[in-house]
Amino acid sequence: MNSLISIWAKRGSIWAGRGGNPALLAVWSLAAALVIYVLIRGGYLMTVMQIAAIYTIFVTGLNIFMGYAGQVSFGHSAFAAVSGYASAVLTATYGWEPLPAATLGLAGVLACALIIGYPTLRLRGHYLAMATLAIGLIAYDVAVEWGSVTQGYMGISGIPPLGIGRFTVTSDRGVLVLLIVIAALGVLAAAGIRRSRLGRAFVAIAGSENAARALGIDVAHYKLSAFMISAFYAGLAGSLFVHAVGFVSPEVFGLHMVVLAFTMLYIGGIGTFAGPALGALIVTLLPETFRTFNEYQDLAYGAVLILILIYAPGGIASLPKLLSSLPRRKPL
């Protein structure tokens, strides 16, 4: 059975081109150079990079559920909201330390994912998409209407920075470095999942649920596992966001977050190892790049995204594979 699962695992490469590929190395080198430049230069770009690191975590989790397991979800913003508001309320209102508050928030996320996922994941395709969208909308409405806890549209401010006890990370550079480390660990953990027996089962389910059952895979169990793992990533991103920014309101976890995450996932490369990080970096920085275009900023931003999807339909992470497939001129 292991060999048959391995066949399904060959459907896509987590790396979308091995690390030795010059094109992929160039992309990663450029991203590393950009991070170093921002760390040295500081300023507004520091905040932009912090948001990119947080979205890298969120989209990496979404990639496990959508890219590896082949499912669809428009509701992962709900899990980010649960953990984010748990951290915000417990620290700003009740004086908890950030780490215990975030831990309790993540435990709540896993419990919600289990309760929601067990009946919801019996659905497929468009029905699953609509069900998860409803979950996200419900979470948003709860955040708006439960004013006695969430403060509604006014939001919660005064959320303490990340840290343990007296050891807190207050500088922008320190926060960015911490977020990059956590994001890198999250991406590496996702890579380990993809290479494991669990990840191979996810890919088998993405290929064909009936074939996976024929291989002896418990489809319902593995789909729920993918859902809970991705929800954990979303919850982690939500908690990190509120502590990094120091403020939270319902708009943070609205439909805008879902659209942005989907854009990052497909621009970077769904189902790939590097895709979530590259997509988060590109989609977060592009609006800042085109800010000088004034009223034409959105037009230029949209045009670049469309060109990427046309000429690299598998995302930026698929460029090495795309370039290697181009016909080469024979030497004279």
Side-chain angles (χ1 to χ4, degrees):
M1 186 176 72
N2 290 339
S3 60
L4 290 175
I5 295 177
S6 300
I7 293 174
W8 283 108
K10 292 179 181 179
R11 291 177 64 250
S13 172
I14 175 180
W15 297 93
R18 293 288 179 179
N21 190 294
L24 191 60
L25 285 175
V27 172
W28 279 116
S29 299
L30 183 62
L34 180 62
V35 171
I36 294 173
Y37 169 78
V38 172
L39 285 172
I40 296 174
R41 181 71 181 270
Y44 173 66
L45 281 179
M46 193 82 71
T47 302
V48 176
M49 290 297 293
Q50 290 174 7
I51 300 300
I54 292 170
Y55 265 101
T56 296
I57 299 169
F58 183 87
V59 179
T60 298
L62 194 62
N63 190 41
I64 292 174
F65 187 64
M66 294 182 59
Y68 297 173
Q71 306 303 305
V72 61
S73 172
F74 290 93
H76 271 59
S77 58
F79 301 118
V82 169
S83 185
Y85 269 105
S87 292
V89 171
L90 290 175
T91 55
T93 305
Y94 296 101
W96 283 41
E97 292 292 329
L99 184 59
T103 302
L104 184 60
L106 289 173
V109 163
L110 291 176
C112 290
L114 178 62
I115 295 170
I116 293 170
Y118 186 78
T120 303
L121 293 176
R122 296 174 182 273
L123 302 173
R124 296 185 186 179
H126 297 84
Y127 300 102
L128 177 59
M130 294 301 294
T132 54
L133 176 61
I135 293 167
L137 294 176
I138 290 170
Y140 177 81
D141 285 340
V142 170
V144 172
E145 300 297 335
W146 201 4
S148 60
V149 175
T150 65
Q151 309 303 320
Y153 286 115
M154 297 296 294
I156 300 174
S157 58
I159 302 171
L162 296 166
I164 302 175
R166 293 180 297 174
F167 301 96
T168 59
V169 183
T170 56
S171 68
D172 287 340
R173 286 183 175 84
V175 171
L176 178 56
V177 170
L178 178 61
L179 291 175
I180 289 175
V181 170
I182 295 174
L185 291 175
V187 171
L188 291 175
I193 290 173
R194 173 60 181 81
R195 289 169 168 169
S196 68
R197 179 184 178 85
L198 179 65
R200 293 194 295 271
F202 289 164
V203 175
I205 293 171
S208 171
E209 292 189 15
N210 291 330
R213 288 191 184 92
L215 294 172
I217 296 173
D218 188 342
V219 172
H221 169 77
Y222 282 106
K223 285 170 66 175
L224 183 59
S225 298
F227 189 68
M228 293 182 66
I229 293 171
S230 61
F232 178 86
Y233 273 80
L236 179 60
S239 288
L240 290 174
F241 178 88
V242 301
H243 289 295
V245 176
F247 175 80
V248 65
S249 66
E251 290 87 351
V252 174
F253 307 112
L255 280 177
H256 174 72
M257 184 180 199
V258 177
V259 174
L260 203 58
F262 267 67
T263 305
M264 293 172 178
L265 186 58
Y266 282 95
I267 290 295
I270 186 170
T272 64
F273 166 75
L278 294 176
L281 191 63
I282 292 170
V283 174
T284 306
L285 289 177
L286 270 182
E288 308 305 320
T289 304
F290 295 123
R291 197 169 291 279
T292 56
F293 284 60
N294 298 323
E295 64 268 20
Y296 299 106
Q297 175 186 348
D298 291 339
L299 179 63
Y301 175 63
V304 170
L305 294 182
I306 291 172
L307 288 174
I308 292 175
L309 291 175
I310 290 175
Y311 292 102
I316 297 297
S318 69
L319 280 179
K321 183 179 179 180
L322 183 65
L323 293 175
S324 63
S325 65
L326 293 176
R328 299 180 180 179
R329 294 182 60 184
K330 296 181 180 180
L332 298 175

